[in-house]
Amino acid sequence: MPPITRPNRSARRDAAEIVFFPLYRQVREGLLRRLAEGAWPAGAMLPSEQVLAAELGVSQGTVRKALDALVAENLLVRRQGRGTFVALHDESRILFQFFRLVSETGERQFPESRVLRVGAGRASAEERARLALAARARVVRIRRVRALAGRPCIAESIVLPASLFPGLIERPLPNNLYGLFAEKYGIGIARASERLRAVALGASDATLLGVAQGTPALAIDRLALAIDGRRVEWRVSHCLTTHVHYASDLT
Amino acid sequence: MPPITRPNRSARRDAAEIVFFPLYRQVREGLLRRLAEGAWPAGAMLPSEQVLAAELGVSQGTVRKALDALVAENLLVRRQGRGTFVALHDESRILFQFFRLVSETGERQFPESRVLRVGAGRASAEERARLALAARARVVRIRRVRALAGRPCIAESIVLPASLFPGLIERPLPNNLYGLFAEKYGIGIARASERLRAVALGASDATLLGVAQGTPALAIDRLALAIDGRRVEWRVSHCLTTHVHYASDLT
DNA sequence: CAGTGGTCTAGACCACAGG
DNA sequence: CTGTGGTCTAGACCACTGC
């Protein structure tokens, strides 16, 4: 990474608008760019704070503040005495960051998945809108059922931009898709936003989950974004919430 | 606040277990205690960082780190050039921190409330469990309907420990209950945890919301905690999600 | 202008992990 | 023992607010 171009702590002028842009933000953006480019593979150790500070020509405290921000965004992990590492998409992180279904006793458990269909095709209007795709873009669609504690309780439909995942259709699909995205395609899911509704199950979902059509279910509509903000996945999950609930902390 | 008792950055010994307890954490705890005691009313300005540092006999940077933590918990608000203030429970904060129902276009809007019943009584077993109350404790119960954009879409039942809210029954209840708790009873809601399920509406809720019995609804079960961790409110909301959804960011 | 929080630096020392 | 991140300090200067 090239040294931060000073004038470091001055102002940035954008069309007569003056925006103060602190040094540690510039450092953060630089590191973020390198992360998005895949300069360090998932799990790799970054240079130490001292080394980064020397490379960039700033103080260690400034580097630290930039690293702190990236740790807060779950992109990096610090381990005292060891170093700073690129966050992995292992099951424990997924469980902690992306999976909110909790049993009555408060335990989180990674659900087992059974893939029903994998296919490709042109994106529908809705898929294009949700994933911000061009007119004739292609998508990969995955349909699966997931079980918690042996009980099938999630019927899931996943849509991915085909351009990002060449050859995905031929692969065996693991339980943890985000781990696959990171390892095989270098695409790390950084964050997601979910929209929740209550719906009555349609015939197809009801059959899959072994309940009557019209049973109330929690519909989770998720859009997942990569580090650089690209829309990577659109996922709709229909969940039975008789033995499980969605936990949300308002802090 | 008394000066922080050194040995400040040494260790704390708990039954042969050595726990490192940084100075800024001690400062945070001290400030938190004073906040919970109501030493500064909501909206009040705290002493400046310099003054706090001098009082406590630590450096300004250490005070800053403690204040940063409390700001991150939404208990304090900083305004550059003005000072550091105790967070208010005004509608904009409530909307931002505690209200997650969003319209299709992404707008958040504070719902209008119509109170149907207010009453008191002995806590049921479930109420005692959820609010951690003693055997014969009394509670206040509120039942109301809330409307978004003129449409009634939330049927809500609220349970409060009667001991915390003397005379609440006689009061007119405002739209924003948490503001009332803070202003009239000195109880600030600091955080809450919600459990979401999909349910079929019962007869009473369905009538209130003007839909058929059995209509799927999002059940939000919320437990709200005060700054000191006391359980202050148990609230169950049944929401129609045809024109609105629950937004959850996974970051 | 004075006072507040925000940034940045340089350096010392501590806690922790691993060879 | 060395190297890492974590804490703490002291001081300088900047940006913002309101008088």
Side-chain angles (χ1 to χ4, degrees):
Chain A
M1 193 147 92
I4 295 291
T5 44
R6 313 222 174 199
N8 40 28
R9 56 170 296 127
S10 65
R12 191 175 59 169
R13 273 147 233 282
D14 288 331
E17 195 185 347
I18 296 163
V19 180
F20 176 64
F21 206 66
L23 234 195
Y24 74 88
R25 294 272 275 122
Q26 296 182 48
V27 174
R28 192 198 83 102
E29 315 263 290
L31 292 171
L32 191 58
R33 186 163 7 91
R34 294 190 67 178
L35 281 170
E37 287 166 357
W40 299 290
M45 179 178 164
L46 265 62
S48 77
E49 297 178 352
Q50 291 285 4
V51 170
L52 284 174
E55 278 181 10
L56 302 174
V58 301
S59 81
Q60 185 185 352
T62 300
V63 169
R64 166 171 287 271
K65 224 175 159 182
L67 291 174
D68 280 344
L70 295 170
V71 168
E73 295 171 65
N74 292 305
L75 299 178
L76 299 179
V77 173
R78 286 179 187 284
R79 274 176 282 182
Q80 183 172 148
R82 311 237 347 245
T84 305
F85 303 83
V86 180
L88 286 172
H89 284 78
D90 54 1
E91 294 207 350
S92 66
R93 178 187 172 192
I94 299 292
L95 221 48
F96 187 74
Q97 187 179 356
F98 294 112
F99 195 74
R100 302 286 248 258
L101 289 178
V102 175
S103 77
E104 222 41 57
T105 56
E107 298 147 10
R108 294 186 192 212
Q109 193 184 346
F110 208 82
E112 293 299 319
S113 303
R114 185 162 61 86
V115 174
L116 304 174
R117 274 202 313 278
V118 181
R122 295 230 178 279
S124 70
E126 192 181 13
E127 288 165 343
R128 289 202 308 271
R130 208 82 176 89
L131 289 169
L133 294 176
R136 298 170 51 78
R138 296 183 67 82
V139 292
V140 174
R141 300 190 186 91
I142 301 170
R143 175 95 170 135
R144 59 181 186 175
V145 188
R146 316 189 77 182
L148 283 163
R151 273 192 215 93
C153 57
I154 307 174
E156 200 160 72
S157 297
I158 298 172
V159 184
L160 310 165
S163 60
L164 295 179
F165 299 100
L168 182 70
I169 295 186
E170 286 80 31
R171 284 182 186 281
L173 293 179
N175 212 343
N176 173 1
L177 282 182
Y178 292 178
L180 175 74
F181 297 171
E183 278 175 38
K184 302 300 181 189
Y185 296 95
I187 297 176
I189 302 295
R191 57 189 195 281
S193 62
E194 296 192 327
R195 301 176 176 181
L196 280 63
R197 295 174 187 286
V199 299
L201 280 184
S204 144
D205 290 335
T207 307
L208 276 179
L209 300 176
V211 296
Q213 186 172 350
T215 301
L218 181 64
I220 306 177
D221 179 310
R222 174 193 293 179
L223 191 62
L225 309 183
I227 295 178
D228 56 10
R230 275 182 303 176
R231 302 184 182 189
V232 171
E233 181 203 63
W234 176 35
R235 170 187 299 212
V236 177
S237 309
H238 287 172
C239 313
L240 296 179
T241 54
T242 42
H243 298 94
V244 90
H245 61 261
Y246 186 101
S248 174
D249 281 329
L250 280 36
T251 53
Chain B
M1 190 148 96
I4 296 291
T5 45
R6 316 223 172 197
N8 39 28
R9 56 168 297 131
S10 64
R12 191 175 58 171
R13 273 147 233 283
D14 288 331
E17 195 185 346
I18 296 163
V19 180
F20 177 63
F21 206 65
L23 234 195
Y24 74 89
R25 294 272 273 124
Q26 296 182 48
V27 174
R28 192 199 82 103
E29 315 262 289
L31 293 170
L32 191 58
R33 187 164 7 90
R34 295 190 68 180
L35 280 170
E37 285 165 358
W40 299 289
M45 179 177 162
L46 266 63
S48 76
E49 297 179 351
Q50 292 285 3
V51 170
L52 283 173
E55 277 181 9
L56 301 173
V58 301
S59 80
Q60 187 186 350
T62 300
V63 170
R64 165 171 289 269
K65 222 176 161 182
L67 291 174
D68 280 345
L70 295 170
V71 168
E73 296 171 65
N74 293 304
L75 300 177
L76 298 179
V77 172
R78 285 179 187 285
R79 273 174 282 180
Q80 182 172 154
R82 308 235 352 239
T84 305
F85 303 83
V86 180
L88 286 171
H89 284 76
D90 54 1
E91 293 207 351
S92 66
R93 178 189 172 191
I94 300 291
L95 221 49
F96 187 74
Q97 189 179 354
F98 294 112
F99 195 74
R100 302 284 249 258
L101 289 178
V102 175
S103 76
E104 220 42 56
T105 56
E107 296 147 10
R108 293 186 192 214
Q109 190 184 347
F110 209 81
E112 294 299 317
S113 302
R114 186 162 60 86
V115 175
L116 304 174
R117 275 201 314 276
V118 181
R122 294 228 179 279
S124 70
E126 193 181 12
E127 289 165 342
R128 290 203 307 274
R130 208 83 175 88
L131 289 168
L133 295 175
R136 295 169 52 77
R138 296 184 67 81
V139 292
V140 175
R141 300 191 185 90
I142 300 170
R143 174 96 170 135
R144 60 181 184 174
V145 188
R146 315 190 79 183
L148 282 163
R151 274 191 213 93
C153 57
I154 308 175
E156 199 161 71
S157 296
I158 298 172
V159 184
L160 311 165
S163 60
L164 294 179
F165 299 100
L168 182 71
I169 294 185
E170 287 80 30
R171 284 182 187 281
L173 294 179
N175 212 343
N176 173 2
L177 282 180
Y178 291 177
L180 175 75
F181 297 171
E183 278 175 37
K184 302 300 182 189
Y185 297 94
I187 297 177
I189 302 295
R191 57 189 194 281
S193 62
E194 296 191 326
R195 300 177 177 181
L196 281 63
R197 290 175 190 287
V199 299
L201 281 184
S204 145
D205 289 336
T207 307
L208 276 180
L209 300 177
V211 296
Q213 187 173 349
T215 301
L218 182 64
I220 306 177
D221 179 309
R222 174 194 293 181
L223 191 63
L225 309 183
I227 295 177
D228 56 9
R230 276 182 303 177
R231 302 184 184 191
V232 171
E233 181 203 64
W234 177 35
R235 171 188 296 214
V236 178
S237 310
H238 286 172
C239 313
L240 296 180
T241 53
T242 41
H243 297 95
V244 91
H245 61 261
Y246 185 101
S248 174
D249 281 329
L250 278 38
T251 54

